[in-house]
Amino acid sequence: MDKKSIINQINQHKKQPNLRYQLKERTEVFTNTLFYTLFDIETPVAKHLDILEKEFDLLVDLACWDTKKPCKKLWESYVEKLPLILEKLNMDAEATVNCDPASLSIEEVYMAYPGFYAIAIYRLAHELYKEGFPLVPRLMTEYAHRQTGVDINPGAEIGDSFHIDHGTGVVIGETAIIKDHVKIYQGVTLGGLYVAKSLKRTKRHPTIEDNVTIYANATILGGDTTIGKNSTIGGNAWITSSVPANSKVFHTPEIKIKTIPHVS
């Protein structure tokens, strides 16, 4: 097969007219600029808001394929929400300092904690998700996922003072609801009990009430599953039904001691 035939065949199979990987790259630039604008003390806010607006215009050109939904108008409303998002993120950082005895300073949380970074990008993406901005919110949280190992769908609803310790392997599904002052550890999954495309518009993921702690590798599944306030979920627990408030749920391992036959 000659080169021209190969090129023709590849072009025939490139069937997605809106699949531009430049969108993924520009989203990562936008996300980094946004994070620095909010947190880095040496980044001038006024100057970088102008830069962000231009970067947002590029995302609009790349992502908004439906001309009947003018995404450009979203920028002004999004900028207005940034102070509140930053206020919530500062509360998240303070929650981490207060929860984790290993944290030496709040600056360490902002710069070195993967859980905080994942929460920050989630909160910034969530506001765009609520406005219906296509694809970009998902690309933002996936960018954070690649860097931290924490996978938070931008559609999840997360309250104030949220703390993720260590973070690696955490999965929070699209319709999960997490109330205030919740702490979760590495490997926790808030997932769906069933996987079917027909469930797309239904609540598939659990609700976590106020002041709940979920320890490492616990799995909580189902849209009707609610973990009541002030509860503690132990490590490796598997939960598919609701837990009352003020409960403690633990996985009890089965221990079998191997006996060695006596040889005379």
Side-chain angles (χ1 to χ4, degrees), residues 34-199:
L34 193 52
F35 190 85
Y36 270 70
T37 301
L38 294 184
F39 294 109
D40 180 54
I41 200 65
E42 295 182 347
T43 298
V45 174
K47 176 182 177 182
H48 277 72
L49 284 180
D50 291 338
I51 294 171
L52 282 166
E53 184 173 8
K54 293 177 182 178
E55 291 178 354
F56 191 83
D57 286 344
L58 290 174
L59 298 182
V60 168
D61 291 339
L62 291 167
C64 295
W65 311 315
D66 188 349
T67 57
K68 296 180 181 179
K69 297 180 179 180
C71 299
K72 168 62 178 171
K73 294 181 180 179
L74 294 180
W75 175 247
E76 293 179 3
S77 62
Y78 184 64
V79 168
E80 291 178 356
K81 294 172 183 175
L82 290 180
L84 179 58
I85 296 172
L86 180 55
E87 181 181 357
K88 286 179 173 288
L89 289 171
N90 287 336
M91 293 169 64
D92 297 326
E94 290 166 5
T96 294
V97 169
N98 294 332
C99 291
D100 187 4
S103 61
L104 301 178
S105 68
I106 197 164
E107 289 82 5
E108 181 183 23
V109 172
Y110 286 112
M111 290 193 285
Y113 274 59
F116 174 77
Y117 182 81
I119 295 167
I121 303 310
Y122 151 77
R123 291 203 189 279
L124 292 166
H126 179 66
E127 293 302 325
L128 290 175
Y129 176 92
K130 289 195 300 184
E131 295 289 348
F133 196 98
L135 194 54
V136 168
R138 188 69 180 87
L139 291 173
M140 291 173 69
T141 54
E142 180 55 29
Y143 179 48
H145 179 201
R146 295 205 316 273
Q147 296 188 80
T148 66
V150 179
D151 185 0
I152 308 176
N153 190 287
E157 297 180 19
I158 299 178
D160 295 339
S161 299
F162 183 45
H163 168 56
I164 299 176
D165 204 352
H166 302 295
T168 306
V170 166
V171 177
I172 300 174
E174 179 187 25
T175 61
I177 298 174
I178 300 174
K179 301 292 183 66
D180 299 338
H181 304 287
V182 171
K183 301 190 290 280
I184 67 176
Y185 289 76
Q186 68 273 16
V188 167
T189 296
L190 305 181
L193 189 57
Y194 304 103
V195 179
K197 199 68 177 178
S198 60
L199 300 175

Side-chain angles (χ1 to χ4, degrees), residues 187-230:
V188 167
T189 296
L190 305 181
L193 189 57
Y194 304 103
V195 179
K197 199 68 177 178
S198 60
L199 300 175
K200 179 176 177 58
R201 300 299 179 187
T202 62
K203 187 178 184 303
R204 309 180 304 282
H205 306 98
T207 296
I208 312 299
E209 297 284 355
D210 296 343
N211 301 306
V212 170
T213 299
I214 308 173
Y215 284 102
N217 299 312
T219 298
I220 304 173
L221 305 178
D224 294 329
T225 302
T226 296
I227 306 300
K229 65 181 181 179
N230 305 316

